[in-house]
């Protein structure tokens, strides 16, 4: 990624596109993630010394328009500050870099609090924008970007595919989070998005402290099988087995009974369906044409989104820069 040089004023605006993501994919709890072709577009313009503008301006169109009122507490704004601080710490000569004015405009298509990675998209957008705008942004390398995104989000399963695209396996080490990016053969999925929202914190609060050893062993086998099934293009019968989960979905079902019931109905018809992330969106490894023939099983009250797997993660749009947010 090309970087701006130094100077009294930071270049801008920068335009970043970030994909939706689906985490867990059934058995891959807090580790597997998939980037999807549903995008938020974020534009950030900074002024260091106030010669062009001062203060904070936030405009949000589409999903989550109410978050524009959060001001300095807006997730992209707080992420930008964290990213600038991280870059300053890595480049001592840059300490004190900041801005007198910030203009943020978001066109959001990723549903909020539905299990499609809207918060990860905001975090990654802020980090990618900071890497482009800060005069020493190149010091925040890919590993550091993943580490910062994980620190802010709390776990790497959604930020990894948002940064890298495709299918990702993420894990943590004493040195920080890591990811491996894979190219899945399965290219199409369908997301069933309900009107209701569910906070990730509430969904996580339903999980038990311990699980039976047999369930943990079953999930380990299914998660390994799922990676093989997705990357080798194995059929729906294998995917149905590979997407079985025993660690989290049944414990969260009371918070999203309609979603849990839809997963059961689809799976009874042989469709590999899972709860997307913390829910309540349901993700099915199927096509729109197959969904059209399953009206009774789907029922009413769902926004149906046929999506492809996004091959690329967050990227700066053409009139800003030329590279993805992370390269792996």
């Amino acid at each position: 990624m090309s970087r701006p040089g130094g100077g009294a004023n930071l270049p801008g605006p920068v335009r970043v596109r970030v994909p939706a993501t689906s985490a867990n994919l059934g058995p891959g709890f807090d580790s597997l993630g998939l980037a999807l072709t549903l995008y938020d577009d974020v534009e950030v313009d900074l002024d260091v010394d106030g010669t062009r503008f001062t203060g904070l301006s936030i405009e949000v169109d589409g999903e989550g328009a109410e978050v524009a009122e959060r001001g300095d507490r807006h997730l992209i704004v707080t992420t930008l500050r964290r990213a600038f601080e991280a870059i300053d710490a890595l480049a001592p000569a840059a300490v004190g870099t900041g801005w007198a004015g910030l203009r943020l405009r978001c066109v959001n298509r990723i549903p909020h609090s539905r299990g499609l990675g809207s918060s990860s998209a905001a975090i990654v957008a802020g980090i990618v924008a900071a890497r482009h705008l800060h005069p020493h942004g190149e010091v925040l390398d890919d590993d550091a970007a993943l580490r910062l995104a994980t620190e802010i989000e709390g776990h790497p399963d959604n930020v990894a595919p948002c940064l890298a695209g495709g299918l990702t396996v993420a894990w943590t080490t004493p040195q920080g989070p890591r990811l491996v990016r894979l190219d899945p053969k399965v290219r199409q999925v369908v997301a069933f998005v309900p009107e209701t929202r569910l906070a990730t914190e509430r969904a996580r609060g339903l999980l038990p402290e311990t699980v039976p050893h047999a369930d943990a062993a079953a999930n380990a086998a299914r998660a390994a099988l799922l990676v093989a099934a997705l990357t080798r293009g194995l059929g729906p019968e294998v995917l149905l087995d590979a997407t079985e989960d025993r660690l989290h979905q049944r414990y969260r079902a009371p918070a999203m009974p309609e979603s849990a019931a839809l997963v059961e109905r689809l799976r009874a018809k042989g469709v590999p369906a899972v709860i997307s992330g913390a829910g309540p969106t349901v993700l099915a490894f199927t096509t729109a044409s197959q969904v059209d023939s399953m009206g009774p099983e789907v029922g009413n009250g769902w926004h149906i989104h046929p999506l492809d797997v996004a091959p690329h993660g967050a990227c700066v749009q053409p009139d800003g820069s030329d590279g993805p947010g992370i390269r792996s």
Side-chain angles (χ1 to χ4, degrees):
M1 179 185 293
S2 60
R3 306 293 182 187
N9 220 320
L10 299 180
V14 60
R15 298 175 181 88
V16 182
R17 170 162 284 193
V18 283
T21 52
S22 181
N24 303 328
L25 309 181
F29 181 69
D30 275 4
S31 58
L32 296 183
L34 202 62
L36 304 172
T37 54
L38 182 65
Y39 298 95
D40 284 354
D41 289 311
V42 175
E43 180 178 283
V44 181
D45 196 5
L46 300 179
D47 190 297
V48 172
D49 50 20
T51 56
R52 291 187 294 127
F53 57 89
T54 59
L56 174 63
S57 170
I58 302 176
E59 178 184 343
V60 179
D61 295 329
E63 296 284 344
E66 69 279 0
V67 301
E69 301 175 358
R70 294 179 182 174
D72 284 330
R73 296 180 295 109
H74 189 285
L75 185 54
I76 295 179
V77 177
T78 60
T79 299
L80 279 165
R81 293 193 185 281
R82 287 277 299 272
F84 264 61
E85 291 169 359
I87 294 168
D88 284 348
L90 292 168
V95 171
T97 305
W99 57 81
L102 188 158
R103 289 176 178 172
L104 173 65
R105 182 171 185 268
C106 307
V107 178
N108 293 338
R109 303 173 188 87
I110 304 172
H112 281 214
S113 301
R114 304 300 210 292
L116 287 170
S118 60
S119 63
S120 290
I123 291 166
V124 170
I127 291 173
V128 172
R131 277 169 49 138
H132 179 81
L133 288 168
H134 195 292
H136 300 276
E138 72 279 356
V139 302
L140 193 69
D141 63 16
D142 293 347
D143 288 342
L146 176 63
R147 183 166 57 252
L148 178 59
T150 301
E151 288 174 0
I152 298 172
E153 177 71 344
H155 37 87
D157 53 349
N158 276 110
V159 296
C162 191
L163 283 163
L167 170 68
T168 57
V169 183
W171 69 100
T172 57
T173 74
Q175 293 73 41
R178 298 287 185 268
L179 73 83
V180 169
R181 183 192 179 282
L182 303 169
D183 288 311
K185 301 292 186 187
V186 175
R187 296 294 187 184
Q188 293 183 314
V189 299
V190 176
F192 300 86
V193 183
E195 291 287 350
T196 56
R197 297 185 177 190
L198 177 63
T200 300
E201 293 77 8
R202 182 187 174 198
R204 282 190 170 267
L206 295 173
L207 299 178
E209 290 293 326
T210 61
V211 297
H213 186 276
D215 289 347
N219 260 57
R222 297 305 193 277
L225 178 61
L226 181 55
V227 171
L230 292 175
T231 55
R232 294 178 58 186
L234 304 182
E237 297 84 3
V238 177
L239 270 174
L240 188 64
D241 287 341
T243 50
E244 181 187 353
D245 166 71
R246 299 187 191 180
L247 287 187
H248 63 101
Q249 291 185 162
R250 68 182 180 186
Y251 298 109
R252 290 168 162 171
M256 50 185 126
E258 295 85 2
S259 300
L262 177 58
V263 169
E264 289 186 7
R265 293 196 302 272
L266 291 174
R267 293 184 69 84
K269 288 293 183 179
V271 178
V274 299
I275 298 296
S276 179
T281 291
V282 172
L283 190 79
F285 292 94
T286 187
T287 63
S289 60
Q290 290 174 315
V291 170
D292 290 341
S293 65
M294 295 187 297
E297 285 74 28
V298 174
N300 299 319
W302 304 92
H303 297 282
I304 300 175
H305 296 273
L307 300 169
D308 294 330
V309 176
H312 304 293
C315 62
V316 177
Q317 293 298 89
D319 53 356
S321 185
D322 60 356
I326 195 168
R327 299 164 297 282
S328 178

